[in-house]
Amino acid sequence: MIILVIILILALLLLGAYFWSSGGQTVLAGSGSGIVEAIPDAMEIAPAPPVGTLGILSYSLAYGLGRQGDSGPERSAAAIYDDLDQVIETIVASEADIALLQEVDFASQRTHDIDQLYYIAAALGWGYAARAVTWECRYLPWPLRRPTGRLRAGMGVISRYPLVQNVRQRLPQTWIMPLFLRRYAARHTVQMVDVQCGAILLRLLHVYLDPQQRTRYPQDLQALGTFIREVYTPTSVLMGTDHPIANRPASDVSLPTFMTALGERCRAVVAPGHHAATAELQPHPGYALVGSDLQPLDAWTTEVHALLSVHPPLMLRLRWALPLLARHR
């Protein structure tokens, strides 16, 4: 009897530790408006409206952990700051007006409590930032050899022009992991941000899909397409990180099917991609989707001294001079 009581007490303690460590999440709500942050002492409090062209840069930071991620050696705060300074230099050199950042840590224990989004925004001197939390728990117990600890991460938008709306939309999750691990997992999310560029409202659809398992990628794209059709405006732009090259087989037709489902709402702007490592895989170029009232000029992957993740930064430049190529529907 005493042994059963001890076992019951231990089981309750383990269950309590599980719910405590996996809790503290703010990403459980399906959708809703987020906070638009004003950056104190920004150099560009009231920038002039864009004239001629508008540049948007998409960049995955890999949470500041480097290419090896959690499997690599523990990184010092100085090394993380060096990488963030490289990101800032890349954004400045690209002459972008808006930066879309994926895989960003918001004061997580594993990266020395550095708020990476705020650090970059303050250094750029742009006045506006918005974040979408997609991964959060009080204590992440893996990797076992060096547990992650307190975690709060996601993606963010930094802009020199006013952000007037920040909406986080969760995509339906196709779970491939055991039930008890799901509370620790990142949530696939679309961040929708409206940017006031002079008299025109630009709608940014910022997406991060992390297909470590190929089976859920088609479902993610289907849900993404449904959301885009609901919120689409002729001045919409979709960018982000969606599918590592190494996980995309040549037989994968998810992206063409996704484009067909969107019809004439958006056009794809493709940048040259990297070559696949084997003949079984095809290169997956960076791409953006642009609404019918925007005229894309060019898209290219930006060269950096050392890639932070498997996703090279993608730069998109739009013509932002009236009259736009308008096709009313």
Side-chain angles (χ1 to χ4, degrees), residues 60-304:
S60 174
L61 307 189
Y63 306 113
L65 298 174
R67 291 292 297 273
Q68 293 180 299
D70 289 327
S71 61
E74 186 173 0
R75 308 199 73 205
S76 66
I80 294 172
Y81 278 121
D82 286 343
D83 282 349
L84 296 179
D85 290 341
Q86 174 187 293
V87 172
I88 295 164
E89 292 172 3
T90 300
I91 296 173
V92 172
S94 71
E95 299 183 347
D97 302 289
I98 301 169
L100 309 181
L101 305 178
Q102 306 91 43
E103 298 183 302
V104 186
D105 262 4
F106 306 136
S108 296
Q109 184 175 336
R110 63 182 176 181
T111 48
H112 304 278
D113 294 318
I114 301 170
D115 188 332
Q116 298 171 2
L117 183 71
Y118 183 87
Y119 179 80
I120 295 173
L124 289 173
W126 299 353
Y128 306 91
R131 68 185 75 209
V133 178
T134 62
W135 195 11
E136 187 173 19
C137 58
R138 292 191 182 96
Y139 187 87
L140 186 64
W142 69 71
L144 295 178
R145 65 182 183 84
R146 192 178 68 239
T148 298
R150 184 181 63 259
L151 176 68
R152 191 168 191 261
M155 52 190 182
V157 175
I158 307 173
S159 172
R160 60 172 19 122
Y161 303 112
L163 305 180
V164 296
Q165 178 179 230
N166 175 29
V167 174
R168 181 189 61 204
Q169 175 66 36
R170 273 187 56 193
L171 299 176
Q173 205 86 357
T174 305
W175 296 108
I176 44 81
M177 58 179 59
L179 178 64
F180 73 95
L181 293 180
R182 295 177 185 177
R183 284 173 58 89
Y184 294 107
R187 269 67 176 178
H188 290 186
T189 302
V190 183
Q191 182 184 18
M192 184 176 72
V193 174
D194 288 345
V195 187
Q196 192 69 55
C197 298
I200 300 174
L201 196 66
L202 179 70
R203 172 153 291 179
L204 295 176
L205 299 169
H206 183 201
V207 62
Y208 174 70
L209 307 180
D210 183 18
Q212 295 300 319
Q213 300 294 327
R214 302 173 188 174
T215 55
R216 68 187 184 189
Y217 184 62
Q219 290 87 348
D220 287 334
L221 271 187
Q222 182 179 6
L224 178 60
T226 300
F227 179 69
I228 292 175
R229 288 193 295 271
E230 292 174 353
V231 302
Y232 167 83
T233 68
T235 53
S236 297
V237 176
L238 181 141
M239 294 178 72
T241 301
D242 73 332
H243 203 304
I245 301 169
N247 282 347
R248 186 182 179 118
S251 59
D252 185 357
V253 295
S254 303
L255 184 57
T257 302
F258 170 70
M259 290 299 302
T260 301
L262 290 180
E264 296 184 357
R265 289 179 176 86
C266 301
R267 75 194 81 174
V269 185
V270 181
H274 291 268
H275 295 292
T278 70
E280 297 178 358
L281 305 176
Q282 66 178 5
H284 177 64
Y287 73 93
L289 300 183
V290 177
S292 57
D293 278 7
L294 298 173
Q295 181 182 359
L297 294 179
D298 200 4
W300 65 92
T301 51
T302 303
E303 292 187 5
V304 294

